[in-house]
Amino acid sequence: MLAYLFWIIALVLFSSLEVVSKPIMGQVDPFTMTFMRFFIGGLSLFVISSLVKRPDEKKMVKADFFKIIFIGCINTIFSMTMLQLSIKHSNASSAATLISTSPIFTAVFAYLIISEKISQRKKIGILLGLVGIITFGIGMLEGDSLSGILFGIVASVTFGLYSVLLRRHIARYGSLRCTAYSTLFPSLIYGGILVLSGKLKIPTLDVQGWLIIAYLGIFVTGVAYYALLEAVNRMGATNAMRLFYVKPVVATGLALIFLQEPVGVVKIAGMGIIIFSLFL
């Protein structure tokens, strides 16, 4: 029962990302948004990982530490920036659906990088997923743009790569510690890059705006990752990761309720194909 509670918490928090951040995208540029979100969330995860230690926890090799940071940069600096750009240039529901196709690309990278076999059923699912993405793109509505759709696809592809590359380190050091390290330290690098390039723009926000930033960092990044990891530990990775299959539906519902975003027939068809493909 507790496992499903963690699963529901992770699902709702991850699904709220695009909807919650959409209202302040005009006030916070995507680069600063990504940095602040992952710094706050990474710090939260780091604190949790320091407090919650396994009895058999291994000391991390220095070379692995730097590899994890590099892999984290793929996600924090590149993939999640692409996601924020997708949110800015398209509807929140569109960005949510596109990032949820990452299991498709995860399977492809797992096959190419670590020689993980792909069943015939999974191959059909991958092809259907690609058809769904194309259909979804054709169904662009007011608020969507081609660049926003492309940013979302790139975010999904690179998140899939990040997931596969981090897998062997998770097996050795645990998912919580690896996620904390691959989130916090890349965010510090990202912040340094933004400062040196003059692109770090601390926004002028009202109380509600800063509460949104805090929510995105602490809950959507910190608590959501922790809840997901707890669900994985209690019900297994396969069952827990099904939240990414349901996320587009929940996110679209939230966008419809709170942002009054339109939902077209072609877009729904594309979404349906994508979600169906993920279950194969």
Side-chain angles (χ1 to χ4, degrees), residues 19 250-261:
V19 176
V250 177
T252 299
L254 293 174
L256 179 64
I257 295 170
F258 294 105
L259 302 179
Q260 289 77 52
E261 287 188 353

Side-chain angles (χ1 to χ4, degrees), residues 49-123:
S49 68
S50 300
L51 296 174
V52 183
K53 292 187 176 182
R54 299 180 305 175
D56 60 340
E57 187 171 280
K58 296 180 180 179
K59 183 178 180 181
M60 186 172 290
V61 178
K62 185 181 292 185
D64 289 340
F65 174 72
F66 287 111
K67 286 178 183 177
I68 289 171
I69 292 177
F70 174 76
I71 294 169
C73 288
I74 295 175
N75 179 51
T76 301
I77 297 177
F78 191 75
S79 182
M80 292 301 105
T81 297
M82 293 296 103
L83 176 58
Q84 290 298 156
L85 287 169
S86 179
I87 296 171
K88 181 177 181 179
H89 295 286
S90 63
N91 289 310
S93 57
S94 302
T97 301
L98 291 169
I99 193 62
S100 294
T101 63
S102 59
I104 295 173
F105 302 107
T106 298
V108 173
F109 283 122
Y111 173 76
L112 295 174
I113 297 173
I114 59 178
S115 301
E116 187 173 289
K117 293 183 179 180
I118 304 177
S119 65
Q120 193 65 34
R121 182 177 176 179
K122 196 68 177 178
K123 289 178 182 178

Side-chain angles (χ1 to χ4, degrees), residues 1-212:
M1 188 67 183
L2 193 57
Y4 287 99
L5 176 61
F6 280 118
W7 189 89
I8 292 171
I9 291 172
L11 171 63
V12 173
L13 291 177
F14 278 128
S15 299
S16 69
L17 165 63
E18 294 81 6
V19 176
V20 172
S21 62
K22 183 69 175 180
I24 60 171
M25 285 310 298
Q27 304 172 63
V28 187
D29 75 274
F31 306 104
T32 301
M33 171 76 85
T34 303
F35 160 67
M36 290 192 296
R37 176 193 160 200
F38 277 85
F39 173 70
I40 296 171
L43 187 60
S44 302
L45 287 170
F46 185 80
V47 171
I48 293 172
S49 68
S50 300
L51 296 174
V52 183
K53 292 187 176 182
R54 299 180 305 175
D56 60 340
E57 187 171 280
K58 296 180 180 179
K59 183 178 180 181
M60 186 172 290
V61 178
K62 185 181 292 185
D64 289 340
F65 174 72
F66 287 111
K67 286 178 183 177
I68 289 171
I69 292 177
F70 174 76
I71 294 169
C73 288
I74 295 175
N75 179 51
T76 301
I77 297 177
F78 191 75
S79 182
M80 292 301 105
T81 297
M82 293 296 103
L83 176 58
Q84 290 298 156
L85 287 169
S86 179
I87 296 171
K88 181 177 181 179
H89 295 286
S90 63
N91 289 310
S93 57
S94 302
T97 301
L98 291 169
I99 193 62
S100 294
T101 63
S102 59
I104 295 173
F105 302 107
T106 298
V108 173
F109 283 122
Y111 173 76
L112 295 174
I113 297 173
I114 59 178
S115 301
E116 187 173 289
K117 293 183 179 180
I118 304 177
S119 65
Q120 193 65 34
R121 182 177 176 179
K122 196 68 177 178
K123 289 178 182 178
I124 295 173
I126 291 171
L127 290 175
L128 273 178
L130 295 176
V131 171
I133 292 173
I134 295 172
T135 305
F136 189 86
I138 294 174
M140 289 189 300
L141 298 171
E142 183 180 352
D144 281 333
S145 69
L146 181 58
S147 60
I149 299 295
L150 291 176
F151 282 135
I153 294 173
V154 173
S156 183
V157 172
T158 49
F159 184 75
L161 177 61
Y162 158 79
S163 301
V164 171
L165 293 177
L166 195 63
R167 186 176 298 179
R168 65 181 61 180
H169 297 290
I170 288 176
R172 178 179 245 185
Y173 300 112
S175 52
L176 181 57
R177 189 159 44 142
C178 287
T179 306
Y181 288 9
S182 68
T183 303
L184 176 60
F185 294 105
S187 75
L188 295 175
I189 295 173
Y190 197 8
I193 293 172
L194 293 178
V195 169
L196 292 175
S197 62
K199 293 186 179 296
L200 183 63
K201 302 174 182 177
I202 303 301
T204 302
L205 299 172
D206 55 17
V207 174
Q208 181 181 355
W210 284 113
L211 287 175
I212 289 175

Side-chain angles (χ1 to χ4, degrees), residues 237-256:
T238 301
N239 290 327
M241 292 305 289
R242 287 184 183 275
L243 71 85
F244 282 103
Y245 307 161
V246 188
K247 172 178 157 65
V249 179
V250 177
T252 299
L254 293 174
L256 179 64

